Amino acid sequence: MNKAEILYRIKNIASQKVKIAFSDIDGILRGKYIHKDKFEKSIEQGLGFCDVIFGWDCNDKCYDNAEVTGWHTGYPDAHATIDINSYREIPWENDTPFFIGDFSNDEKYAAATCSRSLLKRIDAESKKLGFTPLFSQEFEWFNFQGTPSEINESGFENLKPITPGMFGYSVLRTSLNQEYFNDLFELLSKFKIPLEGMHTETGPGVVEATVIYDEILNAADKAILFKTAVKEIAYRHNFVATFMAKWNKDLPGSGGHIHQSLWDNHLEKNLFYDANTSSGMSNLMEHYIAGQLKCLPEILPMFAPNPNSYKRLSGGDWAPRTLTWGIDNRTASIRAIPGSQSSTRIEMRVPGADTNAYLAMAASLAAGLYGIKNKLPLDTKAITGNAYLSNSGNRLPDSLEKAIRKMAGSEIANELFGEAFVNHFTRTREWECRQVDPNDEYWELKRYFEII
């Protein structure tokens, strides 16, 4: 539907409310209901939204080190814009109209804090170079019995996954909770987040799903909404879904792998594919991979944003820790998947399920474009065998503290994203490191289990 058709539909539906949401720096949706009359005005004029969403953490505790906003600014309204093209209806809320917004028209917040605005800038740069990025994120997440209140009241002890044991690709386990899995597939599709596939992963109560690819901004919207939608659908079945990178040290972590390719601006040709090379990979694809390898250590917090993220990146359990690439090798950080004109792509395997999709996709694309613009050669060989055990690639930083220090002083990061963003983002990650409580063995579950 075009803008006029959407506004006409909303004006004539029975519901008096519209739901809007904006992503904070952690990729958590912050929003509210507004009257549909206010919505119509907001489409033309924008609306004010309290900038505290950029001044507090995932537990609503205000940063003490942020410059953009804080007690020193009084937390004023930022000028928000609703994206009319993000329209969808929430099928589990009586088809309530829903829209995503951002702060692209407010220079202060667009430059430093708004992750969706950052992705839009990098996407525009890509298109100016003649490339349309097609992306998709796949998620692994664990599901538990109980309500948020019950789990919190239990002190996060004796958590009960919805299925027992290690049983990846299980036909049996999906039958056990058939109504839940049916709801996930069907309701997500109605919410304009169609799934390419969904299956159990190895671990108790863990599921993996891949969202069908799209142009990068739409793909990031879908990824952000996927996590919130899954949590809301889980509530309906008295389950709680967690996207923590590593909720249990003895079980595999939860990945948020990002599939990506570049096409011409008419979407007619996959620019990563070259039938005349032995590998099927174009020079452009090689430059893109080289750029990601070059930039990855400099911008790692955008792929691994929390202290808990680095427990997943410990080597093994399907999560990489070396700066490596390989052809269809799931132990490398970057998995090149050469194939046909329609399927050739790469899979970035570093991100966990705890990422902000806008930031992770922006980082992936910006790093790849860096390689293309600088014509970086792919001078490291594709790794074969187990990259977890390899010494051929440099190790990624093994803690958020180390990763922050590298990004905060990185000329590459400032070039890719701007000093304002790098300064604000690394300060929020420094704050996150200070929230570690070594005296409480459950601090990560209390902080991240339901929210992240």
Side-chain angles (χ1 to χ4, degrees):
M1 290 188 284
N2 60 34
K3 178 180 175 180
E5 291 170 331
I6 292 171
L7 292 175
Y8 178 82
R9 180 174 177 84
I10 290 173
K11 187 174 182 178
N12 288 278
I13 60 175
S15 174
Q16 296 298 303
K17 66 182 183 296
V18 174
K19 196 172 189 178
I20 59 173
F22 309 89
S23 172
D24 68 12
I25 202 71
D26 288 294
I28 300 165
L29 286 179
R30 308 284 188 162
K32 59 184 177 180
Y33 296 101
I34 60 175
H35 194 279
K36 62 184 182 181
D37 291 343
K38 180 175 181 177
F39 168 79
E40 188 170 357
K41 293 178 182 177
S42 299
I43 287 295
E44 302 300 332
Q45 304 169 9
L47 76 161
F49 200 93
C50 181
D51 79 353
V52 72
I53 67 169
F54 299 127
W56 62 18
D57 66 11
C58 61
N59 287 179
D60 290 8
K61 190 174 180 180
C62 294
Y63 300 129
D64 63 11
N65 61 344
E67 294 181 346
V68 176
T69 191
W71 297 117
H72 61 288
T73 67
Y75 296 110
D77 278 353
H79 183 71
T81 304
I82 297 173
D83 187 345
I84 193 77
N85 295 315
S86 68
Y87 171 61
R88 54 212 346 117
E89 295 174 355
I90 309 173
W92 55 91
E93 284 193 24
N94 297 319
D95 293 330
T96 297
F98 177 90
F99 295 84
I100 292 177
D102 58 48
F103 299 84
S104 298
N105 291 336
D106 192 317
E107 184 176 344
K108 174 183 176 182
Y109 302 97
T113 64
C114 181
S115 53
R116 192 174 193 264
S117 300
L118 177 68
L119 179 59
K120 288 168 73 173
R121 291 203 310 273
I122 296 171
D123 182 28
E125 178 188 355
S126 179
K127 288 186 170 68
K128 189 175 180 180
L129 293 170
F131 313 132
T132 295
L134 297 186
F135 273 53
S136 174
Q137 190 162 17
E138 65 180 46
F139 291 99
E140 299 158 347
W141 77 97
F142 284 78
N143 300 274
F144 296 85
Q145 299 177 28
T147 66
S149 295
E150 291 167 346
I151 289 174
N152 274 274
E153 288 167 4
S154 74
F156 293 89
E157 294 185 2
N158 302 315
L159 293 169
K160 296 180 180 180
I162 63 172
T163 55
M166 313 289 275
F167 204 165
Y169 295 102
S170 171
V171 174
L172 183 63
R173 289 291 186 249
T174 53
S175 178
L176 182 61
N177 294 289
Q178 189 175 40
E179 290 184 0
Y180 177 47
F181 289 111
N182 284 345
D183 269 0
L184 286 173
F185 217 97
E186 300 300 328
L187 293 177
L188 286 169
S189 180
K190 291 179 181 178
F191 196 44
K192 296 185 179 179
I193 310 176
L195 300 183
E196 182 178 273
M198 181 174 65
H199 60 87
T200 65
E201 257 293 357
T202 182
V206 62
V207 179
E208 177 178 316
T210 303
V211 182
I212 293 176
Y213 68 87
D214 204 336
E215 292 191 35
I216 190 169
L217 182 62
N218 293 334
D221 284 346
K222 290 175 181 177
I224 289 280
L225 291 172
F226 174 87
K227 290 169 66 173
T228 297
V230 166
K231 293 173 186 179
E232 293 187 15
I233 294 168
Y235 288 161
R236 294 164 55 87
H237 296 267
N238 287 323
F239 298 155
V240 172
T242 183
F243 289 84
M244 284 180 67
K246 188 85 167 176
W247 82 272
N248 185 304
K249 64 182 178 61
D250 297 321
L251 294 171
S254 295
H257 308 154
I258 299 176
H259 293 258
Q260 48 204 288
S261 59
L262 295 183
W263 291 64
D264 69 282
N265 282 343
H266 298 291
L267 291 177
E268 294 174 348
K269 183 179 181 182
N270 184 348
L271 302 177
F272 278 2
Y273 176 71
D274 188 344
N276 297 317
T277 64
S278 59
S279 66
M281 294 166 47
S282 68
N283 289 333
L284 190 87
M285 182 175 178
E286 292 187 355
H287 291 323
Y288 191 94
I289 294 173
Q292 292 199 334
L293 292 172
K294 173 74 173 177
C295 298
L296 183 54
E298 312 276 332
I299 59 177
L300 183 59
M302 298 173 76
F303 298 115
N306 302 302
N308 179 258
S309 308
Y310 295 80
K311 293 185 176 180
R312 171 180 166 268
L313 300 177
S314 59
D317 283 341
W318 308 102
R321 64 177 174 180
T322 55
L323 202 58
T324 51
W325 77 281
I327 295 179
D328 203 9
N329 187 332
R330 285 182 168 85
T331 66
S333 289
I334 299 173
R335 174 187 170 218
I337 312 173
S340 66
Q341 168 69 227
S342 62
S343 66
T344 297
R345 64 194 187 280
I346 72 165
E347 178 190 24
M348 166 64 79
R349 294 182 60 82
V350 174
D354 60 340
T355 46
N356 176 340
Y358 295 124
L359 295 186
M361 291 190 189
S364 293
L365 179 58
L369 294 179
Y370 180 89
I372 292 171
K373 289 184 290 186
N374 291 283
K375 297 183 178 179
L376 297 183
L378 186 56
D379 51 13
T380 57
K381 291 184 179 179
I383 194 163
T384 57
N386 189 349
Y388 304 143
L389 304 177
S390 173
N391 294 316
S392 63
N394 294 326
R395 294 284 178 91
L396 294 168
D398 61 5
S399 71
L400 182 56
E401 293 93 337
K402 293 178 183 177
I404 292 166
R405 287 197 295 271
K406 195 166 187 66
M407 183 172 181
S410 170
E411 293 182 5
I412 287 178
N414 285 328
E415 178 183 341
L416 296 183
F417 311 116
E419 292 184 12
F421 171 80
V422 173
N423 178 57
H424 177 74
F425 178 66
T426 55
R427 283 171 180 264
T428 69
R429 296 311 93 191
E430 289 168 358
W431 164 273
E432 203 63 34
C433 289
R434 286 195 275 128
Q435 307 314 303
V436 174
D437 186 352
N439 298 315
D440 185 353
E441 64 176 305
Y442 297 110
W443 78 267
E444 290 170 295
L445 293 170
K446 292 175 181 177
R447 185 168 183 81
Y448 302 123
F449 185 78
E450 181 194 5
I451 300 300
I452 203 64

